Amino acid sequence: MISIDQLQDLLGRGGTIIGGDGYEIGHIGQIYMDDDTGQPEWVTVKTGLFGTAERFIPLAEGTIEADSIRVPYDKSTVKDSPRMNDDDEHLSVGQEEALFQYYGLGHSSPDSDPGLLAGEVGEQSSKAPSKDRHDESMVQAQDTSGPNTDAAMTRSEERLQVGTEKVQSGKARLRKYVVSETVTTTVPVSHEEVRIEREPITESNRDAALSGAELTEEEVEVTLHAERPVVEKETVPVERIRLNTDAVTEEQQVTEEIRKEQIDTDIDGTDENRHQR
């Protein structure tokens, strides 16, 4: 059996509750103890989309594992358990019976109400157990499903709670690769060509013309030059490209079926049949 000291330690460390399938159900909320035996009997955990629904889990078959309490129920089972109103920090006998029946357990102490564990170890809540008390002058009725009750019944209905969660919808990548393209450009080039110039013999060039033998064979060579294109390539950075995201808000319709109870009034001996929401 889990001791109060162990539970107090887990509460102080923000312990969690692990289901029989090994997955986390949620964080430990509150501990409820049996008012007669003083032993811890129930632990609560918050479930639901916004963590607003507090569900009760019996500690009878719970064990301590590191920073967690392991119970033999999965998250779905706990989430679907009866939702109890414990505004006075107690569970009534009827509420506890409904929980025991749901989890398939026997009642440990039929005449006691579990109360909320107070701040100090072993200290009990000073509030009285929450039991339904009826004045003898009130109408008594027979519940056709079993026990005696008063002349009223509670009508409940489901309320739709809609929120959002962030899920992965896709991936975007930047990928760089090399492609080739042909570039054509024009560059001016020049070259030398031979041009023959003839000049008459004059006083200024006569000496040069008459130097040497009268009849000779001679050869003169001139080197010609030409320009040609020279291509070189260099790699230079041209721009930076990055991925970024923008949040785009849109509206989506959510359709879900919810249930609600309705109560019909059928009075024997009359033709009156009333329908109440």
Side-chain angles (χ1 to χ4, degrees):
M1 177 178 293
I2 302 176
S3 68
I4 299 175
D5 290 337
Q6 290 175 310
L7 293 173
Q8 288 280 25
D9 180 57
L10 286 178
L11 281 171
R13 290 186 289 139
T16 59
I17 299 177
I18 304 298
D21 54 4
Y23 291 95
E24 180 179 315
I25 298 176
H27 283 80
I28 298 174
Q30 304 179 90
I31 305 297
Y32 282 71
M33 303 193 314
D34 189 291
D35 284 347
D36 286 346
T37 65
Q39 295 299 318
E41 195 164 21
W42 298 93
V43 62
T44 66
V45 61
K46 290 188 180 297
T47 62
L49 188 61
F50 302 103
T52 56
E54 194 168 25
R55 305 297 182 181
F56 285 80
I57 306 174
L59 288 171
E61 299 180 5
T63 57
I64 298 293
E65 294 185 6
D67 293 336
S68 303
I69 302 175
R70 179 180 285 271
V71 294
Y73 317 105
D74 58 23
K75 187 171 185 177
S76 177
T77 300
V78 173
K79 184 178 178 181
D80 293 337
S81 65
R83 185 173 182 178
M84 298 301 175
N85 183 1
D86 62 333
D87 291 339
D88 62 352
E89 300 180 352
H90 272 77
L91 288 178
S92 68
V93 173
Q95 289 175 320
E96 193 175 25
E97 280 292 345
L99 288 170
F100 274 122
Q101 183 178 0
Y102 176 79
Y103 286 105
L105 300 174
H107 203 307
S108 60
S109 181
D111 297 327
S112 64
D113 299 339
L116 183 65
L117 175 63
E120 297 297 326
V121 177
E123 181 184 348
Q124 302 296 314
S125 172
S126 60
K127 296 187 178 182
S130 173
K131 295 184 178 179
D132 294 333
R133 305 187 181 277
H134 304 280
D135 193 275
E136 292 184 358
S137 62
M138 294 181 64
V139 176
Q140 295 293 321
Q142 175 67 36
D143 188 342
T144 58
S145 61
N148 289 329
T149 183
D150 58 18
M153 62 177 61
T154 301
R155 188 185 68 83
S156 303
E157 65 183 26
E158 294 177 335
R159 298 292 175 87
L160 193 63
Q161 294 180 342
V162 180
T164 61
E165 63 174 343
K166 183 175 289 187
V167 298
Q168 180 177 310
S169 60
K171 290 184 178 180
R173 299 181 182 86
L174 282 179
R175 182 180 292 110
K176 184 170 67 172
Y177 55 94
V178 178
V179 298
S180 298
E181 62 178 342
T182 301
V183 177
T184 301
T185 186
T186 302
V187 57
V189 295
S190 63
H191 66 277
E192 296 177 343
E193 294 182 349
V194 174
R195 183 178 73 254
I196 298 176
E197 295 182 356
R198 299 175 183 272
E199 60 182 18
I201 302 299
T202 62
E203 291 297 330
S204 62
N205 61 10
R206 182 179 296 275
D207 291 340
L210 295 177
S211 64
E214 293 182 358
L215 294 174
T216 61
E217 293 183 359
E218 189 175 357
E219 182 176 307
V220 177
E221 183 179 89
V222 176
T223 300
L224 301 177
H225 297 86
E227 293 180 336
R228 64 177 181 178
V230 178
V231 177
E232 293 182 353
K233 293 183 286 186
E234 63 173 336
T235 302
V236 295
V238 292
E239 64 179 344
R240 296 279 293 168
I241 300 176
R242 64 169 54 87
L243 288 177
N244 209 339
T245 60
D246 294 323
V248 180
T249 301
E250 61 182 0
E251 293 186 353
Q252 291 187 355
Q253 289 186 340
V254 178
T255 302
E256 184 63 41
E257 183 178 281
I258 60 174
R259 299 174 300 168
K260 63 180 179 180
E261 298 173 339
Q262 294 183 339
I263 300 174
D264 288 336
T265 302
D266 189 1
I267 303 176
D268 292 340
T270 69
D271 295 331
E272 184 177 6
N273 191 315
R274 297 175 181 173
H275 174 74
Q276 297 182 357
R277 293 179 63 86

